[in-house]
Protein backbone atom coordinates (compact mmCIF):
# COMPACT_ATOMS: atom_id res chain seq x y z
CA UNK A 1 0.00 0.00 0.00
CA UNK A 2 1.25 3.48 -0.90
CA UNK A 3 2.30 5.56 2.03
CA UNK A 4 -0.17 8.20 0.82
CA UNK A 5 -3.18 5.84 0.62
CA UNK A 6 -5.63 5.86 3.47
CA UNK A 7 -6.39 2.45 4.99
CA UNK A 8 -9.92 1.14 4.48
CA UNK A 9 -12.02 0.80 7.60
CA UNK A 10 -12.72 -2.87 8.51
CA UNK A 11 -16.38 -2.77 7.44
CA UNK A 12 -15.66 -1.26 3.99
CA UNK A 13 -12.88 -3.78 3.39
CA UNK A 14 -15.26 -6.65 4.24
CA UNK A 15 -17.94 -5.30 1.83
CA UNK A 16 -15.37 -5.00 -0.94
CA UNK A 17 -14.28 -8.61 -0.51
CA UNK A 18 -17.91 -9.80 -0.50
CA UNK A 19 -18.71 -7.96 -3.76
CA UNK A 20 -15.57 -9.27 -5.45
CA UNK A 21 -16.32 -12.86 -4.41
CA UNK A 22 -19.92 -12.60 -5.69
CA UNK A 23 -18.81 -11.30 -9.11
CA UNK A 24 -16.26 -14.09 -9.44
CA UNK A 25 -18.90 -16.70 -8.57
CA UNK A 26 -21.33 -15.37 -11.20
CA UNK A 27 -18.60 -15.41 -13.84
CA UNK A 28 -17.68 -19.02 -13.04
CA UNK A 29 -21.32 -20.14 -13.33
CA UNK A 30 -22.01 -18.36 -16.67
CA UNK A 31 -22.00 -20.72 -19.70
CA UNK A 32 -19.35 -20.24 -22.36
CA UNK A 33 -20.81 -18.17 -25.21
CA UNK A 34 -19.28 -17.02 -28.48
CA UNK A 35 -18.58 -13.32 -28.87
CA UNK A 36 -21.15 -13.20 -31.71
CA UNK A 37 -24.26 -15.32 -31.67
CA UNK A 38 -24.86 -17.33 -34.83
CA UNK A 39 -28.43 -16.02 -34.90
CA UNK A 40 -27.23 -12.41 -35.23
CA UNK A 41 -24.58 -12.96 -37.91
CA UNK A 42 -25.46 -11.64 -41.37
CA UNK A 43 -24.65 -13.93 -44.26
CA UNK A 44 -22.34 -12.06 -46.65
CA UNK A 45 -23.53 -11.69 -50.26
CA UNK A 46 -21.99 -14.00 -52.87
CA UNK A 47 -18.87 -12.81 -54.72
CA UNK A 48 -20.76 -13.18 -58.00
CA UNK A 49 -24.31 -14.03 -59.07
CA UNK A 50 -24.95 -15.77 -62.41
CA UNK A 51 -28.18 -14.72 -64.12
CA UNK A 52 -29.71 -16.78 -66.92
CA UNK A 53 -32.02 -19.70 -67.63
CA UNK A 54 -32.79 -21.28 -64.25
CA UNK A 55 -30.21 -19.27 -62.31
CA UNK A 56 -30.12 -16.11 -60.23
CA UNK A 57 -33.89 -15.91 -59.85
CA UNK A 58 -34.32 -15.18 -63.56
CA UNK A 59 -37.79 -16.31 -64.68
CA UNK A 60 -37.60 -15.51 -68.38
CA UNK A 61 -37.16 -18.00 -71.20
CA UNK A 62 -33.97 -17.76 -73.27
CA UNK A 63 -33.16 -19.59 -76.49
CA UNK A 64 -29.58 -20.68 -77.23
CA UNK A 65 -29.17 -18.05 -79.96
CA UNK A 66 -30.57 -15.09 -78.01
CA UNK A 67 -27.07 -13.86 -77.04
CA UNK A 68 -28.38 -12.76 -73.65
CA UNK A 69 -25.84 -10.51 -71.97
CA UNK A 70 -24.31 -9.03 -75.14
CA UNK A 71 -24.80 -5.57 -73.61
CA UNK A 72 -25.43 -4.73 -69.96
CA UNK A 73 -26.18 -1.31 -68.47
CA UNK A 74 -27.18 0.12 -65.12
CA UNK A 75 -30.68 1.52 -64.72
CA UNK A 76 -30.05 3.03 -61.34
CA UNK A 77 -32.82 2.29 -58.87
CA UNK A 78 -35.63 1.88 -61.40
CA UNK A 79 -38.31 0.58 -59.02
CA UNK A 80 -37.41 2.69 -56.00
CA UNK A 81 -36.56 -0.14 -53.59
CA UNK A 82 -33.06 1.13 -52.83
CA UNK A 83 -31.29 -1.51 -54.96
CA UNK A 84 -29.67 -0.77 -58.36
CA UNK A 85 -31.29 -2.47 -61.35
CA UNK A 86 -30.03 -3.61 -64.77
CA UNK A 87 -31.01 -3.75 -68.42
CA UNK A 88 -29.55 -6.59 -70.49
CA UNK A 89 -29.75 -7.04 -74.26
CA UNK A 90 -30.41 -10.24 -76.19
CA UNK A 91 -29.90 -9.15 -79.82
CA UNK A 92 -30.40 -12.65 -81.22
CA UNK A 93 -33.94 -12.96 -79.85
CA UNK A 94 -36.32 -13.94 -82.65
CA UNK A 95 -38.86 -11.11 -82.18
CA UNK A 96 -36.63 -8.25 -83.29
CA UNK A 97 -34.06 -8.52 -80.51
CA UNK A 98 -34.89 -8.10 -76.85
CA UNK A 99 -34.05 -5.96 -73.84
CA UNK A 100 -34.55 -7.42 -70.36
CA UNK A 101 -35.19 -5.04 -67.46
CA UNK A 102 -34.03 -6.80 -64.30
CA UNK A 103 -35.11 -5.62 -60.85
CA UNK A 104 -32.48 -6.95 -58.46
CA UNK A 105 -32.30 -8.02 -54.84
CA UNK A 106 -29.37 -7.03 -52.64
CA UNK A 107 -27.68 -10.39 -53.23
CA UNK A 108 -27.66 -9.76 -57.00
CA UNK A 109 -30.45 -12.19 -57.84
CA UNK A 110 -33.47 -11.15 -59.90
CA UNK A 111 -36.62 -10.04 -58.10
CA UNK A 112 -38.63 -9.38 -61.28
CA UNK A 113 -38.04 -8.97 -65.01
CA UNK A 114 -39.67 -7.25 -67.97
CA UNK A 115 -39.00 -8.14 -71.62
CA UNK A 116 -39.06 -5.55 -74.41
CA UNK A 117 -38.78 -6.70 -78.05
CA UNK A 118 -38.31 -4.77 -81.27
CA UNK A 119 -41.41 -6.35 -82.79
CA UNK A 120 -43.39 -5.70 -79.62
CA UNK A 121 -42.84 -1.94 -79.69
CA UNK A 122 -43.18 -1.74 -83.49
CA UNK A 123 -39.91 0.05 -84.13
CA UNK A 124 -39.24 -1.85 -87.35
CA UNK A 125 -35.76 -2.77 -86.23
CA UNK A 126 -33.80 -5.31 -84.22
CA UNK A 127 -32.76 -4.09 -80.77
CA UNK A 128 -29.09 -4.72 -80.02
CA UNK A 129 -27.13 -2.41 -77.71
CA UNK A 130 -28.65 -0.54 -74.76
CA UNK A 131 -27.92 2.04 -72.10
CA UNK A 132 -29.87 3.90 -69.44
CA UNK A 133 -30.71 7.45 -70.52
CA UNK A 134 -31.91 8.91 -67.26
CA UNK A 135 -35.32 10.56 -67.05
CA UNK A 136 -35.31 12.20 -70.49
CA UNK A 137 -38.93 13.42 -70.47
CA UNK A 138 -39.03 14.39 -66.76
CA UNK A 139 -41.93 12.09 -65.92
CA UNK A 140 -40.13 10.49 -62.99
CA UNK A 141 -39.28 7.26 -64.87
CA UNK A 142 -35.87 6.25 -66.25
CA UNK A 143 -35.76 5.93 -70.04
CA UNK A 144 -33.53 3.89 -72.39
CA UNK A 145 -31.49 4.37 -75.54
CA UNK A 146 -31.22 1.25 -77.70
CA UNK A 147 -28.99 0.57 -80.66
CA UNK A 148 -30.61 -1.12 -83.63
CA UNK A 149 -29.76 -1.90 -87.23
CA UNK A 150 -28.64 1.45 -88.73
CA UNK A 151 -30.65 3.36 -86.13
CA UNK A 152 -30.91 4.32 -82.49
CA UNK A 153 -34.20 4.13 -80.62
CA UNK A 154 -35.18 6.14 -77.55
CA UNK A 155 -37.58 4.19 -75.32
CA UNK A 156 -39.83 6.14 -72.96
CA UNK A 157 -40.85 3.79 -70.16
CA UNK A 158 -43.76 3.48 -67.77
CA UNK A 159 -43.15 2.75 -64.06
CA UNK A 160 -43.91 -0.94 -64.70
CA UNK A 161 -41.14 -1.17 -67.33
CA UNK A 162 -43.35 -1.29 -70.43
CA UNK A 163 -42.69 1.09 -73.32
CA UNK A 164 -45.01 4.11 -73.46
CA UNK A 165 -43.62 5.36 -76.75
CA UNK A 166 -40.42 5.28 -78.78
CA UNK A 167 -38.47 7.57 -81.09
CA UNK A 168 -36.29 6.24 -83.90
CA UNK A 169 -33.18 8.20 -84.84
CA UNK A 170 -31.94 7.42 -88.35
CA UNK A 171 -31.61 9.13 -91.73
CA UNK A 172 -34.67 11.37 -92.11
CA UNK A 173 -36.09 10.34 -88.73
CA UNK A 174 -35.95 11.93 -85.30
CA UNK A 175 -34.31 15.11 -86.59
CA UNK A 176 -31.28 13.23 -87.91
CA UNK A 177 -30.50 14.71 -91.34
CA UNK A 178 -27.19 13.06 -92.14
CA UNK A 179 -26.77 9.90 -94.18
CA UNK A 180 -26.84 6.96 -91.80
CA UNK A 181 -23.57 5.04 -91.84
CA UNK A 182 -23.66 1.27 -91.68
CA UNK A 183 -24.08 -0.03 -88.14
CA UNK A 184 -25.09 3.35 -86.70
CA UNK A 185 -26.63 1.69 -83.65
CA UNK A 186 -24.06 -1.05 -83.09
CA UNK A 187 -23.23 0.57 -79.75
CA UNK A 188 -24.87 3.33 -77.70
CA UNK A 189 -23.98 5.16 -74.51
CA UNK A 190 -25.28 8.01 -72.41
CA UNK A 191 -23.13 11.16 -72.45
CA UNK A 192 -25.12 13.20 -69.98
CA UNK A 193 -26.10 16.84 -70.62
CA UNK A 194 -23.28 17.62 -73.05
CA UNK A 195 -24.53 21.05 -74.18
CA UNK A 196 -25.94 22.15 -70.79
CA UNK A 197 -29.50 22.55 -72.06
CA UNK A 198 -31.00 20.27 -69.42
CA UNK A 199 -31.48 17.37 -71.85
CA UNK A 200 -29.49 14.13 -71.87
CA UNK A 201 -27.29 13.32 -74.87
CA UNK A 202 -26.50 9.82 -76.20
Amino acid sequence: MSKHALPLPPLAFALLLTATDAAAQRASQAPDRPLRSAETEVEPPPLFQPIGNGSGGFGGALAPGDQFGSHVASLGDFNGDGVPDLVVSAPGEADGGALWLLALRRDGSVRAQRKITGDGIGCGCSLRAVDGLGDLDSDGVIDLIAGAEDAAVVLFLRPNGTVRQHQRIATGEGGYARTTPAYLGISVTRLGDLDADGVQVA
Side-chain angles (χ1 to χ4, degrees), residues 42-53:
V42 177
E43 185 71 20
L47 296 179
F48 62 91
Q49 176 63 71
I51 296 174
N53 271 338

Side-chain angles (χ1 to χ4, degrees), residues 67-196:
Q67 302 172 41
F68 178 78
S70 294
H71 293 84
V72 180
S74 172
L75 280 179
D77 183 11
F78 184 82
N79 58 355
D81 65 352
V83 181
D85 304 308
L86 295 177
V87 57
V88 181
S89 75
E93 205 274 343
D95 296 325
L99 307 176
W100 287 92
L101 277 62
L102 305 181
L104 301 182
R105 300 184 178 92
R106 292 196 179 276
D107 64 358
S109 63
V110 178
R111 181 187 302 277
Q113 63 271 322
R114 172 75 68 181
K115 183 181 181 182
I116 299 170
T117 65
D119 291 352
I121 65 174
C123 70
C125 57
S126 180
L127 302 178
R128 296 179 179 274
V130 66
D131 199 3
L133 197 53
D135 183 9
L136 186 64
D137 54 357
S138 300
D139 65 348
V141 182
I142 297 170
D143 303 308
L144 300 177
I145 178 74
E149 294 176 345
D150 301 335
V153 185
V154 177
L155 306 177
F156 298 97
L157 302 182
R158 299 184 180 93
N160 65 0
T162 58
V163 177
R164 178 169 53 81
Q165 67 182 72
H166 71 274
Q167 173 64 60
R168 274 178 55 102
I169 300 173
T171 299
E173 297 181 73
Y176 188 80
R178 306 185 69 174
T179 302
T180 302
Y183 306 112
L184 170 68
I186 194 170
S187 181
V188 292
T189 190
R190 172 187 176 185
L191 292 179
D193 184 8
L194 190 63
D195 53 359

Side-chain angles (χ1 to χ4, degrees), residues 31-44:
D32 293 333
R33 295 177 180 175
L35 293 178
R36 296 180 62 189
S37 172
E39 289 77 14
T40 62
E41 290 184 353
V42 177
E43 185 71 20

